[in-house]
Amino acid sequence: HFMDHLSGLRSLPNGGLVIAATSKSNNPKIPSLELALSQMEARASGNNEVPQRDPFQNFDDRVLQSLEGVQVTKLQGLTKEEARGLMEYYAKSGILRQTVSEALVSEKWTLSGGGIVAELERATVKMRI
């Protein structure tokens, strides 16, 4: 199962890496997952105050145990400069048929939700008028 591989209980037969992603957009609230992620983020940042369980809320111990040794990396959108570089790459490769200006970069960066790469691609490459 996926959680066995993610937690490290089982390894992939030919080696490899297991990557999991979560989103704050349109997802159900899972208190055990939220607690485990917040604890891992606090430990990774070197914070001495690790969030503790709420004694009045039910938690699934299997989730907490499965995610105990997992490394967390918080992803963010691209900066405007990074978005400009990506858009210039699209323009040089012929995918984007517009001149990359500051106004275009600002518009597409804003439409992409602050530089989310998939949305930036959709706003620049796939959205042709």
Side-chain angles (χ1 to χ4, degrees):
H1 288 80
F2 175 74
M3 291 306 288
D4 290 339
H5 291 291
L6 182 64
S7 67
L9 290 176
R10 295 180 62 197
S11 61
L12 298 171
N14 295 325
L17 175 70
V18 177
I19 297 177
T22 62
S23 171
K24 293 290 183 183
S25 174
N26 194 23
N27 68 340
K29 185 172 175 128
I30 305 170
S32 303
L33 180 62
E34 291 177 8
L35 176 65
L37 291 175
S38 64
Q39 287 177 340
M40 288 184 285
E41 286 177 8
R43 287 185 190 114
S45 67
N47 191 353
N48 291 336
E49 295 183 22
V50 177
Q52 299 299 315
R53 294 173 85 142
D54 180 358
F56 301 106
Q57 193 168 17
N58 292 330
F59 288 96
D60 188 351
D61 288 325
R62 297 173 298 179
V63 173
L64 297 172
Q65 290 170 356
S66 296
L67 297 175
E68 201 164 290
V70 175
Q71 178 183 354
V72 174
T73 302
K74 194 165 190 153
L75 300 178
Q76 299 176 355
L78 301 176
T79 64
K80 282 190 180 180
E81 293 78 26
E82 293 168 335
R84 181 182 193 78
L86 184 60
M87 290 173 67
E88 287 174 351
Y89 168 76
Y90 289 151
K92 286 180 183 177
S93 64
I95 298 172
L96 178 62
R97 297 182 183 142
Q98 293 176 317
T99 304
V100 179
S101 65
E102 192 61 39
L104 180 69
V105 171
S106 292
E107 175 191 343
K108 300 303 182 183
W109 184 83
T110 303
L111 288 174
S112 68
I116 299 171
V117 177
E119 297 299 323
L120 183 64
E121 179 186 3
R122 184 176 296 130
T124 56
V125 176
K126 296 181 180 177
M127 189 186 297
R128 292 189 184 158
I129 298 174

